[in-house]
Amino acid sequence: MKKRFSSQAKLSPCNRTDSLTCSFPSIWAAASGKACSVVCHVSKLGRRAARSSPHTTCSASSPSSSDANLRFPDSNGLLQTPRWDEPQRGCALEQIYGVFRVDLGHMRSLRLFFSDEACTSGQLVVASRESQYKIFHFHHGGLDKLSEVFQQWKFCTETHLRDQVTDERTCMQFSIRRPKLPSSETHPEESLYRRLDVSAWLNHLNDLGQVEEEYKLRQAIFFGGIDVSIRGEVWPFLLHYYSHESTSEEREALREQKRKEYAAIQQKRLSMTPEEQRAFWRSVQFTVDKDVVRTDRNNQFFRGEDNPNVESMRRILLNYAVYNPAIGYSQGMSDLVAPILAEVLDESDTFWCFVGLMQNTIFVSSPRDEDMERQLLYLRELLRLTHQRFYQHLVSLGEDGLQMLFCHRWLLLCFKREFPEAEALRIWEACWAHYQTDYFHLFICVAIVAIYGDDVIEQQLATDQMLLHFGNLAMHMNGELVLRKARSLLYQFRLLPRIPCSLHDLCKLCGTGMWDSGYMPAVECAGHHPGSENCPYGGTMEMPSPKPPREGKKGPKAPREAFGFRR
């Protein structure tokens, strides 16, 4: 059973991308219920070959089959398999390979995350009881074969072992995550829209270049996304640089006007007095200069020394701090500017798109404390409606749990560090579409928790372990799956017969289209309105009428949950 997969730096203790041979020597002992040990051999001889080929070989074999991988050149330059006894073989392994072993019997969880629809590629994630993670990346198939082996292994299929002590009664958690949602959990319009390409974009414009039906355009972008070839033209509309009612001529005139304004802002920065320059350097420029040289340098657009695009990004950020001194610059803003500049390509246009992003986007990189607290309040309420078990776990952790530190980076950097760039930008577009809600990013957060948060509940992770759990998932989550789940959650939210008043604002800013069917849900007061006796949103409090307790009972039954939600 040999399949190829490419490795990542996390695999090896030397923290490099190396050629790996992964041997699973105890798989055949599974029938007896013995613990399995995963041994990863990092070949020193194969490192030169690994630089030229991204592939390695993953094989399930007995211990003796590892000898087949140990070959040495003879005097004629031919590879020969040596003969040796067990101690010699072990010594040779240590000398030729860097050895990394995982005893699955002492691991907390083993998870298989499939990343493709065929369910052949993805990640094998092993978590220790100390919340340390090792991730095996199967980019070129083979994970399905490994899945079959683990599913037949007794140690994985059992949930408890009788001979374990009480404190360790729970066996290693084992699960398989597939990138599919049941049809009952997908948005009914999910498959109706394809990606917005050039021809589809032109169909949304009239002869004057105006967007004829803004709501339909937002709907198309929300479900299908935007083709890379036209992002530079469409993004300025989503970021409020261009008005949907503007004609092509009006947009060209606007660009000329904004270029002059941008030049004036830059001139203001360059004309600072020496004292102003020193203060500006301490408060803004010092941080900007450090951040821009390490932002998206793997992107071809910013790669290389003395790249003029890096200098353009630097000027945009410095000029924005002059334009809006109340916000200035905060770390993370460079992560937001870089993709816009790479798509829009013009420095002035990018600046004004960034201005629109900061003015009109609910989730920004430098929110005030009250802004972040409002976001967390909405997110807690959404979790209470959609994922009761996870919410109750947060409650059990007290104030630290309810602060949800694991999702702060999601909100501050707009998921930029959680998904590969292509998927992150798809999420940005769905949020910027403002289709049926201005807070779609919160539904993205809930979707991540719904798909990847079961371990948190099953293992009762503490606050710091929960932060580590979601942090280790960064760049390994399936962005398309998360998007589909988030759209489904939004659809189910809109079908609720009533919503808590604490989520009233989730619906009020998006304008036409949120409740486009003419149906408006009732608002139910959730209580907790300091300084006000009545609900400021007009919500009603439905209190169950008390009934006399029956004989032999402690009292009336607890009221039913007010909001039903399908997970």
PDB file of all heavy atoms in Angstrom, residues 38-59:
ATOM      1  N   VAL A  38       3.565   5.229  15.529  1.00  0.00           N
ATOM      2  CA  VAL A  38       3.896   5.794  14.226  1.00  0.00           C
ATOM      3  C   VAL A  38       5.337   6.259  14.269  1.00  0.00           C
ATOM      4  O   VAL A  38       5.715   7.040  15.142  1.00  0.00           O
ATOM      5  CB  VAL A  38       2.968   6.976  13.893  1.00  0.00           C
ATOM      6  CG1 VAL A  38       3.413   7.625  12.591  1.00  0.00           C
ATOM      7  CG2 VAL A  38       1.537   6.492  13.779  1.00  0.00           C
ATOM      8  N   VAL A  39       6.144   5.749  13.362  1.00  0.00           N
ATOM      9  CA  VAL A  39       7.550   6.128  13.313  1.00  0.00           C
ATOM     10  C   VAL A  39       7.816   6.836  11.995  1.00  0.00           C
ATOM     11  O   VAL A  39       7.555   6.287  10.932  1.00  0.00           O
ATOM     12  CB  VAL A  39       8.464   4.894  13.439  1.00  0.00           C
ATOM     13  CG1 VAL A  39       9.924   5.338  13.455  1.00  0.00           C
ATOM     14  CG2 VAL A  39       8.135   4.111  14.690  1.00  0.00           C
ATOM     15  N   CYS A  40       8.291   8.056  12.062  1.00  0.00           N
ATOM     16  CA  CYS A  40       8.602   8.827  10.852  1.00  0.00           C
ATOM     17  C   CYS A  40      10.108   8.911  10.706  1.00  0.00           C
ATOM     18  O   CYS A  40      10.781   9.446  11.578  1.00  0.00           O
ATOM     19  CB  CYS A  40       8.018  10.230  10.948  1.00  0.00           C
ATOM     20  SG  CYS A  40       6.253  10.224  11.140  1.00  0.00           S
ATOM     21  N   HIS A  41      10.615   8.353   9.626  1.00  0.00           N
ATOM     22  CA  HIS A  41      12.050   8.366   9.388  1.00  0.00           C
ATOM     23  C   HIS A  41      12.387   9.477   8.409  1.00  0.00           C
ATOM     24  O   HIS A  41      11.924   9.481   7.282  1.00  0.00           O
ATOM     25  CB  HIS A  41      12.502   7.023   8.817  1.00  0.00           C
ATOM     26  CG  HIS A  41      12.143   5.857   9.679  1.00  0.00           C
ATOM     27  ND1 HIS A  41      12.663   5.671  10.933  1.00  0.00           N
ATOM     28  CD2 HIS A  41      11.271   4.834   9.470  1.00  0.00           C
ATOM     29  CE1 HIS A  41      12.163   4.558  11.449  1.00  0.00           C
ATOM     30  NE2 HIS A  41      11.315   4.043  10.590  1.00  0.00           N
ATOM     31  N   VAL A  42      13.185  10.424   8.834  1.00  0.00           N
ATOM     32  CA  VAL A  42      13.585  11.545   7.986  1.00  0.00           C
ATOM     33  C   VAL A  42      14.929  11.204   7.349  1.00  0.00           C
ATOM     34  O   VAL A  42      15.951  11.172   8.022  1.00  0.00           O
ATOM     35  CB  VAL A  42      13.699  12.837   8.800  1.00  0.00           C
ATOM     36  CG1 VAL A  42      14.007  14.004   7.890  1.00  0.00           C
ATOM     37  CG2 VAL A  42      12.409  13.066   9.572  1.00  0.00           C
ATOM     38  N   SER A  43      14.908  10.895   6.097  1.00  0.00           N
ATOM     39  CA  SER A  43      16.089  10.382   5.418  1.00  0.00           C
ATOM     40  C   SER A  43      17.108  11.484   5.143  1.00  0.00           C
ATOM     41  O   SER A  43      16.794  12.469   4.500  1.00  0.00           O
ATOM     42  CB  SER A  43      15.682   9.733   4.088  1.00  0.00           C
ATOM     43  OG  SER A  43      16.836   9.381   3.357  1.00  0.00           O
ATOM     44  N   LYS A  44      18.310  11.301   5.654  1.00  0.00           N
ATOM     45  CA  LYS A  44      19.381  12.249   5.352  1.00  0.00           C
ATOM     46  C   LYS A  44      19.894  12.040   3.931  1.00  0.00           C
ATOM     47  O   LYS A  44      20.311  12.971   3.272  1.00  0.00           O
ATOM     48  CB  LYS A  44      20.515  12.087   6.355  1.00  0.00           C
ATOM     49  CG  LYS A  44      20.086  12.399   7.788  1.00  0.00           C
ATOM     50  CD  LYS A  44      21.213  12.161   8.769  1.00  0.00           C
ATOM     51  CE  LYS A  44      20.767  12.417  10.200  1.00  0.00           C
ATOM     52  NZ  LYS A  44      21.825  12.127  11.185  1.00  0.00           N
ATOM     53  N   LEU A  45      19.858  10.785   3.475  1.00  0.00           N
ATOM     54  CA  LEU A  45      20.332  10.516   2.124  1.00  0.00           C
ATOM     55  C   LEU A  45      19.392  11.077   1.079  1.00  0.00           C
ATOM     56  O   LEU A  45      19.799  11.406  -0.027  1.00  0.00           O
ATOM     57  CB  LEU A  45      20.479   8.993   1.918  1.00  0.00           C
ATOM     58  CG  LEU A  45      21.504   8.294   2.811  1.00  0.00           C
ATOM     59  CD1 LEU A  45      21.476   6.795   2.543  1.00  0.00           C
ATOM     60  CD2 LEU A  45      22.899   8.835   2.547  1.00  0.00           C
ATOM     61  N   GLY A  46      18.097  11.179   1.434  1.00  0.00           N
ATOM     62  CA  GLY A  46      17.118  11.591   0.446  1.00  0.00           C
ATOM     63  C   GLY A  46      16.842  13.072   0.410  1.00  0.00           C
ATOM     64  O   GLY A  46      15.983  13.520  -0.330  1.00  0.00           O
ATOM     65  N   ARG A  47      17.535  13.866   1.209  1.00  0.00           N
ATOM     66  CA  ARG A  47      17.221  15.293   1.278  1.00  0.00           C
ATOM     67  C   ARG A  47      17.528  16.003  -0.027  1.00  0.00           C
ATOM     68  O   ARG A  47      16.832  16.922  -0.429  1.00  0.00           O
ATOM     69  CB  ARG A  47      17.979  15.940   2.434  1.00  0.00           C
ATOM     70  CG  ARG A  47      17.298  15.641   3.770  1.00  0.00           C
ATOM     71  CD  ARG A  47      18.110  16.102   4.951  1.00  0.00           C
ATOM     72  NE  ARG A  47      17.449  15.684   6.192  1.00  0.00           N
ATOM     73  CZ  ARG A  47      18.091  15.530   7.344  1.00  0.00           C
ATOM     74  NH1 ARG A  47      19.374  15.736   7.423  1.00  0.00           N
ATOM     75  NH2 ARG A  47      17.422  15.161   8.422  1.00  0.00           N
ATOM     76  N   ARG A  48      18.599  15.584  -0.692  1.00  0.00           N
ATOM     77  CA  ARG A  48      18.931  16.224  -1.958  1.00  0.00           C
ATOM     78  C   ARG A  48      17.837  15.943  -2.984  1.00  0.00           C
ATOM     79  O   ARG A  48      17.422  16.818  -3.733  1.00  0.00           O
ATOM     80  CB  ARG A  48      20.271  15.716  -2.466  1.00  0.00           C
ATOM     81  CG  ARG A  48      20.680  16.358  -3.771  1.00  0.00           C
ATOM     82  CD  ARG A  48      22.076  15.915  -4.172  1.00  0.00           C
ATOM     83  NE  ARG A  48      23.068  16.306  -3.155  1.00  0.00           N
ATOM     84  CZ  ARG A  48      24.347  15.975  -3.231  1.00  0.00           C
ATOM     85  NH1 ARG A  48      24.789  15.249  -4.256  1.00  0.00           N
ATOM     86  NH2 ARG A  48      25.184  16.363  -2.296  1.00  0.00           N
ATOM     87  N   ALA A  49      17.316  14.699  -2.980  1.00  0.00           N
ATOM     88  CA  ALA A  49      16.234  14.362  -3.899  1.00  0.00           C
ATOM     89  C   ALA A  49      14.962  15.102  -3.532  1.00  0.00           C
ATOM     90  O   ALA A  49      14.170  15.467  -4.394  1.00  0.00           O
ATOM     91  CB  ALA A  49      15.984  12.854  -3.891  1.00  0.00           C
ATOM     92  N   ALA A  50      14.755  15.358  -2.229  1.00  0.00           N
ATOM     93  CA  ALA A  50      13.539  16.039  -1.800  1.00  0.00           C
ATOM     94  C   ALA A  50      13.485  17.460  -2.324  1.00  0.00           C
ATOM     95  O   ALA A  50      12.419  18.001  -2.556  1.00  0.00           O
ATOM     96  CB  ALA A  50      13.453  16.052  -0.268  1.00  0.00           C
ATOM     97  N   ARG A  51      14.652  18.079  -2.525  1.00  0.00           N
ATOM     98  CA  ARG A  51      14.668  19.443  -3.028  1.00  0.00           C
ATOM     99  C   ARG A  51      14.183  19.499  -4.476  1.00  0.00           C
ATOM    100  O   ARG A  51      13.637  20.495  -4.915  1.00  0.00           O
ATOM    101  CB  ARG A  51      16.078  20.013  -2.920  1.00  0.00           C
ATOM    102  CG  ARG A  51      16.567  20.152  -1.482  1.00  0.00           C
ATOM    103  CD  ARG A  51      17.876  20.923  -1.426  1.00  0.00           C
ATOM    104  NE  ARG A  51      18.398  20.942  -0.078  1.00  0.00           N
ATOM    105  CZ  ARG A  51      19.381  20.149   0.339  1.00  0.00           C
ATOM    106  NH1 ARG A  51      19.922  19.283  -0.479  1.00  0.00           N
ATOM    107  NH2 ARG A  51      19.818  20.231   1.578  1.00  0.00           N
ATOM    108  N   SER A  52      14.399  18.428  -5.202  1.00  0.00           N
ATOM    109  CA  SER A  52      13.991  18.430  -6.601  1.00  0.00           C
ATOM    110  C   SER A  52      12.612  17.854  -6.808  1.00  0.00           C
ATOM    111  O   SER A  52      12.003  18.055  -7.845  1.00  0.00           O
ATOM    112  CB  SER A  52      14.999  17.635  -7.443  1.00  0.00           C
ATOM    113  OG  SER A  52      15.058  16.286  -6.989  1.00  0.00           O
ATOM    114  N   SER A  53      12.096  17.116  -5.830  1.00  0.00           N
ATOM    115  CA  SER A  53      10.767  16.509  -5.957  1.00  0.00           C
ATOM    116  C   SER A  53       9.986  16.741  -4.689  1.00  0.00           C
ATOM    117  O   SER A  53      10.494  16.506  -3.597  1.00  0.00           O
ATOM    118  CB  SER A  53      10.882  15.007  -6.217  1.00  0.00           C
ATOM    119  OG  SER A  53       9.603  14.404  -6.174  1.00  0.00           O
ATOM    120  N   PRO A  54       8.733  17.236  -4.783  1.00  0.00           N
ATOM    121  CA  PRO A  54       7.939  17.494  -3.582  1.00  0.00           C
ATOM    122  C   PRO A  54       7.288  16.258  -3.017  1.00  0.00           C
ATOM    123  O   PRO A  54       6.527  16.330  -2.085  1.00  0.00           O
ATOM    124  CB  PRO A  54       6.861  18.465  -4.100  1.00  0.00           C
ATOM    125  CG  PRO A  54       6.652  18.025  -5.519  1.00  0.00           C
ATOM    126  CD  PRO A  54       8.006  17.591  -6.009  1.00  0.00           C
ATOM    127  N   HIS A  55       7.554  15.087  -3.592  1.00  0.00           N
ATOM    128  CA  HIS A  55       6.838  13.893  -3.184  1.00  0.00           C
ATOM    129  C   HIS A  55       7.679  13.024  -2.261  1.00  0.00           C
ATOM    130  O   HIS A  55       8.902  12.991  -2.350  1.00  0.00           O
ATOM    131  CB  HIS A  55       6.437  13.059  -4.409  1.00  0.00           C
ATOM    132  CG  HIS A  55       5.591  13.824  -5.359  1.00  0.00           C
ATOM    133  ND1 HIS A  55       5.911  13.968  -6.679  1.00  0.00           N
ATOM    134  CD2 HIS A  55       4.437  14.512  -5.183  1.00  0.00           C
ATOM    135  CE1 HIS A  55       4.993  14.689  -7.292  1.00  0.00           C
ATOM    136  NE2 HIS A  55       4.101  15.030  -6.390  1.00  0.00           N
ATOM    137  N   THR A  56       7.005  12.298  -1.390  1.00  0.00           N
ATOM    138  CA  THR A  56       7.632  11.283  -0.574  1.00  0.00           C
ATOM    139  C   THR A  56       6.729  10.066  -0.601  1.00  0.00           C
ATOM    140  O   THR A  56       5.673  10.085  -1.207  1.00  0.00           O
ATOM    141  CB  THR A  56       7.808  11.752   0.880  1.00  0.00           C
ATOM    142  OG1 THR A  56       6.531  12.083   1.388  1.00  0.00           O
ATOM    143  CG2 THR A  56       8.696  12.973   0.953  1.00  0.00           C
ATOM    144  N   THR A  57       7.149   9.020   0.051  1.00  0.00           N
ATOM    145  CA  THR A  57       6.381   7.781   0.020  1.00  0.00           C
ATOM    146  C   THR A  57       5.898   7.435   1.400  1.00  0.00           C
ATOM    147  O   THR A  57       6.662   7.453   2.358  1.00  0.00           O
ATOM    148  CB  THR A  57       7.252   6.626  -0.519  1.00  0.00           C
ATOM    149  OG1 THR A  57       7.682   6.962  -1.827  1.00  0.00           O
ATOM    150  CG2 THR A  57       6.450   5.346  -0.581  1.00  0.00           C
ATOM    151  N   CYS A  58       4.608   7.127   1.491  1.00  0.00           N
ATOM    152  CA  CYS A  58       4.008   6.693   2.749  1.00  0.00           C
ATOM    153  C   CYS A  58       3.659   5.223   2.602  1.00  0.00           C
ATOM    154  O   CYS A  58       2.910   4.859   1.697  1.00  0.00           O
ATOM    155  CB  CYS A  58       2.754   7.498   3.063  1.00  0.00           C
ATOM    156  SG  CYS A  58       1.895   6.909   4.527  1.00  0.00           S
ATOM    157  N   SER A  59       4.207   4.352   3.444  1.00  0.00           N
ATOM    158  CA  SER A  59       3.938   2.928   3.295  1.00  0.00           C
ATOM    159  C   SER A  59       3.567   2.324   4.630  1.00  0.00           C
ATOM    160  O   SER A  59       4.112   2.684   5.662  1.00  0.00           O
ATOM    161  CB  SER A  59       5.161   2.212   2.727  1.00  0.00           C
ATOM    162  OG  SER A  59       6.258   2.346   3.589  1.00  0.00           O
TER     163      SER A  59
END
